[in-house]
């Protein structure tokens, strides 16, 4: 069991470039999430998915798009990167929110936009 | 916007000392979780508390959920260098999302 994996681990982009971050989970979880983590801000939710083929906006969705074509994968896209998107991005998944909303996190992707 | 405030933001102590980290909100949680995050890794769940007044222990860590389910605390007894990391609380508000706190960065020196 690999759990939650993220690709790539590091990336440097120039302003205006685009890229896609891939998240994969092998736990058959229904829910998947994308967060960004900035110093002093904790984790902020970008987008999330409650099942295959569904997506929803989180707290900070502007400048990002997502897709969940397969249950095990959740993609985060940046169409035109900006320096404000320099951050560490984490993907997470959970089986079912129920009463606990326990989430399992990937190792993160460190993105720098110059 | 729902906010979860954690205090202190930073904590630097010697091995063997005790410490308490606080997590506060003006909203009522349906449940609250504590995560620990080590450098270069994602957060890892430590505990979930659900009932007002609930106390859970995990070895030297004691977690308490406030009676009104608006706040929580994490107490570490006799801290060890292995306790170093970022501690995050996260609250659920009867939705399918968690709201994360701002984090407490703990450094334990030998």
């Amino acid at each position: 069991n690999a759990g939650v994996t993220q690709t790539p681990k590091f990336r440097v982009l120039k302003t205006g470039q685009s890229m896609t971050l891939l998240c994969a989970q092998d736990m058959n979880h229904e829910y998947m999430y994308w967060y960004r983590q900035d110093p002093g801000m904790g984790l902020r939710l970008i987008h999330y998915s409650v099942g295959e083929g569904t997506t929803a906006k989180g707290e900070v969705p502007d400048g990002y798009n997502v897709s969940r074509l397969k249950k095990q994968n959740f993609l985060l896209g940046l169409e035109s990167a900006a320096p404000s998107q320099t951050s560490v991005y984490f993907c997470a998944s959970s089986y079912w929110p129920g009463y606990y909303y326990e989430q399992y996190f990937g190792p993160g992707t460190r993105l720098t936009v110059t | 916007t729902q906010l979860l405030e954690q205090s202190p933001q930073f904590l630097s102590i010697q091995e063997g000392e005790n410490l308490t980290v606080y997590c506060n909100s003006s909203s009522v949680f349906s449940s609250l979780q504590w995560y620990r995050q080590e450098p270069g890794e994602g957060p890892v769940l430590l505990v979930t508390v659900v009932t007002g007044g609930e106390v859970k222990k995990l070895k030297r860590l004691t977690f308490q959920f406030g009676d009104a389910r608006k706040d929580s605390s994490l107490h570490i007894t006799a801290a060890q260098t292995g306790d170093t990391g970022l501690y995050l609380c996260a609250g659920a508000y009867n939705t399918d999302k968690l709201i994360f706190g701002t984090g407490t960065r703990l450094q334990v020196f030998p």
Side-chain angles (χ1 to χ4, degrees):
Chain A
N1 256 3
V4 179
T5 57
Q6 291 183 234
T7 310
K9 291 185 77 71
F10 303 94
R11 186 73 187 268
V12 178
L13 285 180
K14 293 190 171 154
T15 298
Q17 287 185 319
S18 63
M19 76 163 294
T20 301
L21 282 66
L22 171 63
C23 175
Q25 53 95 3
D26 61 3
M27 297 175 281
N28 201 34
H29 283 173
E30 290 292 336
Y31 280 54
M32 296 187 75
Y33 311 82
W34 276 108
Y35 294 91
R36 60 177 289 172
Q37 187 174 40
D38 302 295
M41 305 285 286
L43 286 162
R44 292 184 292 168
L45 183 65
I46 304 171
H47 285 282
Y48 66 104
S49 168
V50 303
E52 182 178 317
T54 75
T55 62
K57 293 181 180 180
E59 183 186 352
V60 289
D62 294 341
Y64 305 94
N65 56 75
V66 288
S67 65
R68 182 116 181 255
L69 298 179
K70 291 183 179 180
K71 185 177 183 179
Q72 62 268 33
N73 296 337
F74 196 28
L75 278 63
L76 178 71
L78 286 73
E79 288 187 350
S80 180
S84 61
Q85 293 177 304
T86 293
S87 188
V88 182
Y89 291 85
F90 287 98
C91 176
S93 69
S94 62
Y95 178 63
W96 196 256
Y99 205 48
Y100 291 102
Y101 307 91
E102 300 182 29
Q103 296 186 7
Y104 297 82
F105 285 82
T109 294
R110 185 173 294 275
L111 175 66
T112 302
V113 183
T114 61
Chain B
T1 302
Q2 296 146 338
L3 289 175
L4 266 175
E5 299 287 339
Q6 284 186 241
S7 61
Q9 198 173 354
F10 298 98
L11 200 49
S12 183
I13 61 172
Q14 297 252 252
E15 214 167 20
E17 290 184 31
N18 301 332
L19 67 115
T20 302
V21 175
Y22 300 93
C23 175
N24 294 288
S25 174
S26 57
S27 302
V28 176
F29 311 140
S30 58
S31 64
L32 187 134
Q33 298 170 359
W34 284 92
Y35 291 80
R36 180 166 64 208
Q37 183 180 15
E38 301 194 17
E41 298 181 11
V44 175
L45 180 68
L46 295 173
V47 77
T48 301
V49 285
V50 177
T51 307
E54 183 176 1
V55 176
K56 280 193 174 177
K57 293 195 174 186
L58 187 66
K59 296 183 181 177
R60 295 174 293 100
L61 278 61
T62 301
F63 304 86
Q64 186 157 8
F65 202 11
D67 290 341
R69 291 188 290 137
K70 291 183 179 182
D71 56 87
S72 181
S73 64
L74 157 61
H75 182 80
I76 301 180
T77 303
Q80 299 177 356
T81 55
D83 295 326
T84 292
L86 178 68
Y87 289 81
L88 295 160
C89 63
Y93 295 90
N94 289 327
T95 67
D96 44 20
K97 305 186 291 290
L98 284 177
I99 304 295
F100 278 83
T102 47
T104 294
R105 192 166 295 280
L106 172 66
Q107 178 75 53
V108 182
F109 291 97

PDB file of all heavy atoms in Angstrom, chain B residues 88-103:
ATOM      1  N   LEU B  88      -1.027  20.689  14.107  1.00  0.00           N
ATOM      2  CA  LEU B  88      -2.190  21.329  13.485  1.00  0.00           C
ATOM      3  C   LEU B  88      -3.474  20.765  14.073  1.00  0.00           C
ATOM      4  O   LEU B  88      -3.624  19.552  14.173  1.00  0.00           O
ATOM      5  CB  LEU B  88      -2.192  21.064  11.976  1.00  0.00           C
ATOM      6  CG  LEU B  88      -1.051  21.648  11.149  1.00  0.00           C
ATOM      7  CD1 LEU B  88      -0.926  20.926   9.830  1.00  0.00           C
ATOM      8  CD2 LEU B  88      -1.259  23.137  10.925  1.00  0.00           C
ATOM      9  N   CYS B  89      -4.387  21.645  14.446  1.00  0.00           N
ATOM     10  CA  CYS B  89      -5.722  21.173  14.791  1.00  0.00           C
ATOM     11  C   CYS B  89      -6.610  21.384  13.562  1.00  0.00           C
ATOM     12  O   CYS B  89      -6.315  22.235  12.707  1.00  0.00           O
ATOM     13  CB  CYS B  89      -6.295  21.891  16.010  1.00  0.00           C
ATOM     14  SG  CYS B  89      -6.542  23.662  15.828  1.00  0.00           S
ATOM     15  N   ALA B  90      -7.659  20.605  13.451  1.00  0.00           N
ATOM     16  CA  ALA B  90      -8.566  20.702  12.310  1.00  0.00           C
ATOM     17  C   ALA B  90      -9.970  20.377  12.783  1.00  0.00           C
ATOM     18  O   ALA B  90     -10.190  19.351  13.419  1.00  0.00           O
ATOM     19  CB  ALA B  90      -8.140  19.754  11.206  1.00  0.00           C
ATOM     20  N   GLY B  91     -10.904  21.261  12.462  1.00  0.00           N
ATOM     21  CA  GLY B  91     -12.276  21.073  12.917  1.00  0.00           C
ATOM     22  C   GLY B  91     -13.235  20.788  11.786  1.00  0.00           C
ATOM     23  O   GLY B  91     -13.072  21.299  10.679  1.00  0.00           O
ATOM     24  N   ALA B  92     -14.220  19.949  12.085  1.00  0.00           N
ATOM     25  CA  ALA B  92     -15.281  19.638  11.130  1.00  0.00           C
ATOM     26  C   ALA B  92     -16.553  20.327  11.597  1.00  0.00           C
ATOM     27  O   ALA B  92     -16.903  20.264  12.771  1.00  0.00           O
ATOM     28  CB  ALA B  92     -15.495  18.135  11.041  1.00  0.00           C
ATOM     29  N   TYR B  93     -17.247  20.997  10.655  1.00  0.00           N
ATOM     30  CA  TYR B  93     -18.445  21.761  10.990  1.00  0.00           C
ATOM     31  C   TYR B  93     -19.656  21.164  10.305  1.00  0.00           C
ATOM     32  O   TYR B  93     -20.444  21.877   9.702  1.00  0.00           O
ATOM     33  CB  TYR B  93     -18.264  23.214  10.554  1.00  0.00           C
ATOM     34  CG  TYR B  93     -17.177  23.930  11.291  1.00  0.00           C
ATOM     35  CD1 TYR B  93     -15.870  23.923  10.823  1.00  0.00           C
ATOM     36  CD2 TYR B  93     -17.441  24.645  12.451  1.00  0.00           C
ATOM     37  CE1 TYR B  93     -14.863  24.592  11.499  1.00  0.00           C
ATOM     38  CE2 TYR B  93     -16.451  25.322  13.127  1.00  0.00           C
ATOM     39  CZ  TYR B  93     -15.158  25.294  12.647  1.00  0.00           C
ATOM     40  OH  TYR B  93     -14.177  25.964  13.313  1.00  0.00           O
ATOM     41  N   ASN B  94     -19.801  19.825  10.417  1.00  0.00           N
ATOM     42  CA  ASN B  94     -20.941  19.137   9.799  1.00  0.00           C
ATOM     43  C   ASN B  94     -20.991  19.328   8.292  1.00  0.00           C
ATOM     44  O   ASN B  94     -22.054  19.404   7.714  1.00  0.00           O
ATOM     45  CB  ASN B  94     -22.263  19.615  10.415  1.00  0.00           C
ATOM     46  CG  ASN B  94     -22.430  19.101  11.826  1.00  0.00           C
ATOM     47  OD1 ASN B  94     -21.981  18.003  12.145  1.00  0.00           O
ATOM     48  ND2 ASN B  94     -23.039  19.896  12.668  1.00  0.00           N
ATOM     49  N   THR B  95     -19.834  19.483   7.669  1.00  0.00           N
ATOM     50  CA  THR B  95     -19.757  19.544   6.216  1.00  0.00           C
ATOM     51  C   THR B  95     -18.782  18.461   5.775  1.00  0.00           C
ATOM     52  O   THR B  95     -18.268  17.702   6.597  1.00  0.00           O
ATOM     53  CB  THR B  95     -19.238  20.899   5.716  1.00  0.00           C
ATOM     54  OG1 THR B  95     -17.873  21.035   6.113  1.00  0.00           O
ATOM     55  CG2 THR B  95     -20.058  22.037   6.298  1.00  0.00           C
ATOM     56  N   ASP B  96     -18.497  18.408   4.492  1.00  0.00           N
ATOM     57  CA  ASP B  96     -17.546  17.411   4.023  1.00  0.00           C
ATOM     58  C   ASP B  96     -16.139  17.963   3.936  1.00  0.00           C
ATOM     59  O   ASP B  96     -15.330  17.482   3.164  1.00  0.00           O
ATOM     60  CB  ASP B  96     -18.000  16.862   2.675  1.00  0.00           C
ATOM     61  CG  ASP B  96     -18.471  17.976   1.749  1.00  0.00           C
ATOM     62  OD1 ASP B  96     -18.105  19.142   1.988  1.00  0.00           O
ATOM     63  OD2 ASP B  96     -19.204  17.669   0.808  1.00  0.00           O
ATOM     64  N   LYS B  97     -15.855  19.012   4.706  1.00  0.00           N
ATOM     65  CA  LYS B  97     -14.528  19.613   4.694  1.00  0.00           C
ATOM     66  C   LYS B  97     -14.031  19.824   6.122  1.00  0.00           C
ATOM     67  O   LYS B  97     -14.793  19.920   7.061  1.00  0.00           O
ATOM     68  CB  LYS B  97     -14.552  20.973   3.993  1.00  0.00           C
ATOM     69  CG  LYS B  97     -15.112  20.936   2.588  1.00  0.00           C
ATOM     70  CD  LYS B  97     -14.979  22.285   1.911  1.00  0.00           C
ATOM     71  CE  LYS B  97     -15.884  23.325   2.516  1.00  0.00           C
ATOM     72  NZ  LYS B  97     -17.297  23.052   2.210  1.00  0.00           N
ATOM     73  N   LEU B  98     -12.693  19.896   6.223  1.00  0.00           N
ATOM     74  CA  LEU B  98     -12.055  20.265   7.483  1.00  0.00           C
ATOM     75  C   LEU B  98     -11.527  21.693   7.375  1.00  0.00           C
ATOM     76  O   LEU B  98     -11.094  22.115   6.313  1.00  0.00           O
ATOM     77  CB  LEU B  98     -10.874  19.352   7.789  1.00  0.00           C
ATOM     78  CG  LEU B  98     -11.145  17.946   8.298  1.00  0.00           C
ATOM     79  CD1 LEU B  98      -9.825  17.199   8.449  1.00  0.00           C
ATOM     80  CD2 LEU B  98     -11.888  17.974   9.624  1.00  0.00           C
ATOM     81  N   ILE B  99     -11.550  22.405   8.506  1.00  0.00           N
ATOM     82  CA  ILE B  99     -10.903  23.707   8.587  1.00  0.00           C
ATOM     83  C   ILE B  99      -9.677  23.533   9.463  1.00  0.00           C
ATOM     84  O   ILE B  99      -9.786  23.068  10.611  1.00  0.00           O
ATOM     85  CB  ILE B  99     -11.833  24.765   9.210  1.00  0.00           C
ATOM     86  CG1 ILE B  99     -13.136  24.862   8.439  1.00  0.00           C
ATOM     87  CG2 ILE B  99     -11.121  26.123   9.274  1.00  0.00           C
ATOM     88  CD1 ILE B  99     -12.987  25.356   7.018  1.00  0.00           C
ATOM     89  N   PHE B 100      -8.503  23.892   8.926  1.00  0.00           N
ATOM     90  CA  PHE B 100      -7.273  23.693   9.671  1.00  0.00           C
ATOM     91  C   PHE B 100      -6.888  24.955  10.420  1.00  0.00           C
ATOM     92  O   PHE B 100      -7.106  26.079   9.959  1.00  0.00           O
ATOM     93  CB  PHE B 100      -6.128  23.301   8.720  1.00  0.00           C
ATOM     94  CG  PHE B 100      -6.138  21.847   8.373  1.00  0.00           C
ATOM     95  CD1 PHE B 100      -6.960  21.379   7.365  1.00  0.00           C
ATOM     96  CD2 PHE B 100      -5.349  20.949   9.071  1.00  0.00           C
ATOM     97  CE1 PHE B 100      -6.991  20.036   7.048  1.00  0.00           C
ATOM     98  CE2 PHE B 100      -5.372  19.599   8.765  1.00  0.00           C
ATOM     99  CZ  PHE B 100      -6.199  19.148   7.748  1.00  0.00           C
ATOM    100  N   GLY B 101      -6.278  24.743  11.574  1.00  0.00           N
ATOM    101  CA  GLY B 101      -5.741  25.843  12.351  1.00  0.00           C
ATOM    102  C   GLY B 101      -4.452  26.352  11.746  1.00  0.00           C
ATOM    103  O   GLY B 101      -3.916  25.786  10.798  1.00  0.00           O
ATOM    104  N   THR B 102      -3.938  27.428  12.351  1.00  0.00           N
ATOM    105  CA  THR B 102      -2.746  28.106  11.835  1.00  0.00           C
ATOM    106  C   THR B 102      -1.458  27.374  12.195  1.00  0.00           C
ATOM    107  O   THR B 102      -0.413  27.665  11.638  1.00  0.00           O
ATOM    108  CB  THR B 102      -2.693  29.534  12.380  1.00  0.00           C
ATOM    109  OG1 THR B 102      -2.939  29.501  13.783  1.00  0.00           O
ATOM    110  CG2 THR B 102      -3.767  30.392  11.711  1.00  0.00           C
ATOM    111  N   GLY B 103      -1.516  26.435  13.133  1.00  0.00           N
ATOM    112  CA  GLY B 103      -0.355  25.604  13.449  1.00  0.00           C
ATOM    113  C   GLY B 103       0.485  26.117  14.596  1.00  0.00           C
ATOM    114  O   GLY B 103       0.583  27.330  14.830  1.00  0.00           O
TER     115      GLY B 103
END
